[in-house]
Amino acid sequence: MAEQTVPPLDLQPLNTNTNDPPTDLKSRMKASYDAIAPRYNEWTIPHSTTRLHYLNQLLGRLPITTTVPVSVLELGCGYGVPVTQELLSHPNFSVTANDISSAQLALARARLLPDPPGPGHGQLTLLEGDMLALDFTPATFDAVVGMYSIIHLPRSEQVDMLSKIVAWLKPGGWLLANFAAEELPEREVQNWLEEEKGWMFWSGWGSQGTMEKVREAGLEVVVQETVEDAVDVKFLWILARKSDSSK
Ligand SMILES: C[S@@+](CC[C@H](N)C(=O)[O-])C[C@H]1O[C@@H](n2cnc3c(N)ncnc32)[C@H](O)[C@@H]1O
């Protein structure tokens, strides 16, 4: 088999003269991931070790026992491997997994909800749509996870997303997510992963700015690490907690 090229992610700001994201960002994002889901999912396999490393840090802080129910929201779950799958391996977990791409959710459904029903059925709800448009009762979740997904929101929306996440978390609940480590007003690429339909958008406040936004949203940061991914891009990983006394 011919060796596949691995193009770098190259998260350098492109549009230096404007900070306005495209008005049709969400529909273009959906169309892109609908088109490139299999390619992305294969390309990103080398990042699974990092995902599981941080997921394990979260799991170590949640009750892993059949007697205590744990409710987790995953934002931009992709096809659910390895993160949703690992969450579902704990029988006391119920997982609400969201993604804007119907192709990604179809792949997740095939992987995680096989027919006939197997383990994990009854624990998983798949929700299609923009994560920012989700609506939950306050204090619903013990943890919210967003891996390589919140970075696809314009950075002003990342602040709005953090506020929503904090409201949805129970007191003492956890956020695990990664963000662009470099400050990135916006970055658009036309053919990401050398895919003709691979238009892509990322944004971020950089490590210091993101930390400030996370704290301003009302979370205490417990883990903050900048990690270089397999593609020469640095991400800020954070594990942060809502205080026990918050409403
Ligand atoms: C880089 S992939 C990461 C997928 C998965 N979390 C992982 O770690 O492999 C980003 C995912 O976020 C989804 N996504 C992008 N923008 C989104 C949005 N506004 N709301 C919900 N999902 C979104 C994409 O469809 C895609 O599946």
Side-chain angles (χ1 to χ4, degrees):
M1 202 169 103
E3 199 173 298
Q4 283 198 323
T5 54
V6 179
L9 190 48
D10 185 20
L11 286 184
Q12 298 305 312
L14 180 68
N15 302 334
T16 47
N17 56 349
T18 170
N19 290 341
D20 293 337
T23 50
D24 56 355
L25 168 65
K26 302 299 169 70
S27 58
R28 290 180 80 180
M29 182 66 66
K30 173 179 161 36
S32 289
Y33 272 104
D34 280 351
I36 69 167
R39 168 83 168 115
Y40 167 76
N41 296 337
E42 187 191 349
W43 170 83
T44 196
I45 288 170
H47 309 129
S48 290
T49 316
T50 309
R51 287 181 180 88
L52 291 173
H53 170 76
Y54 287 103
L55 185 63
N56 283 333
Q57 298 208 24
L58 169 67
L59 292 174
R61 291 164 166 96
L62 294 173
I64 309 287
T65 153
T66 49
T67 52
V68 182
V70 171
S71 176
V72 182
L73 170 65
E74 190 182 352
L75 301 169
C77 63
Y79 81 130
V81 180
V83 173
T84 326
Q85 202 168 38
E86 174 62 25
L87 289 166
L88 292 171
S89 71
H90 302 286
N92 60 320
F93 281 35
S94 60
V95 180
T96 303
N98 149 263
D99 203 282
I100 202 167
S101 159
S102 24
Q104 286 286 46
L105 286 186
L107 293 170
R109 196 171 291 111
R111 266 301 173 127
L112 306 174
L113 297 176
D115 196 16
H121 272 257
Q123 288 173 259
L124 176 64
T125 305
L126 294 173
L127 282 185
E128 184 176 327
D130 179 8
M131 63 176 84
L132 197 64
L134 293 172
D135 191 17
F136 298 104
T137 305
T140 296
F141 297 104
D142 297 286
V144 175
V145 175
M147 296 201 187
Y148 303 95
S149 59
I150 299 172
I151 54 172
H152 287 312
L153 298 179
R155 58 185 192 166
S156 63
E157 288 192 7
Q158 294 183 20
V159 177
D160 301 336
M161 197 67 239
L162 285 168
S163 302
K164 289 191 169 218
I165 290 168
V166 173
W168 298 336
L169 283 173
K170 296 176 185 172
W174 295 92
L175 168 65
L176 171 63
N178 65 345
F179 299 86
E182 305 296 332
E183 197 178 346
L184 195 67
E186 71 170 79
R187 168 72 171 144
E188 280 183 59
V189 166
Q190 295 305 323
N191 305 112
W192 188 44
L193 304 181
E194 295 168 0
E195 286 279 336
E196 195 187 326
K197 295 185 177 169
W199 175 86
M200 200 43 66
F201 175 94
W202 301 270
S203 184
W205 295 98
S207 291
Q208 196 183 331
T210 301
M211 292 291 298
E212 283 167 18
K213 307 290 177 202
V214 168
R215 290 191 177 114
E216 283 165 15
L219 295 170
E220 180 202 354
V221 177
V222 175
V223 174
Q224 58 173 104
E225 287 169 10
T226 301
V227 175
E228 187 161 312
D229 248 356
V231 283
D232 290 346
V233 180
K234 288 186 178 151
F235 287 95
L236 170 72
W237 286 84
I238 63 146
L239 180 58
R241 186 168 183 267
K242 181 171 171 175
S243 91
D244 280 321
S245 55
S246 328
K247 297 215 169 120

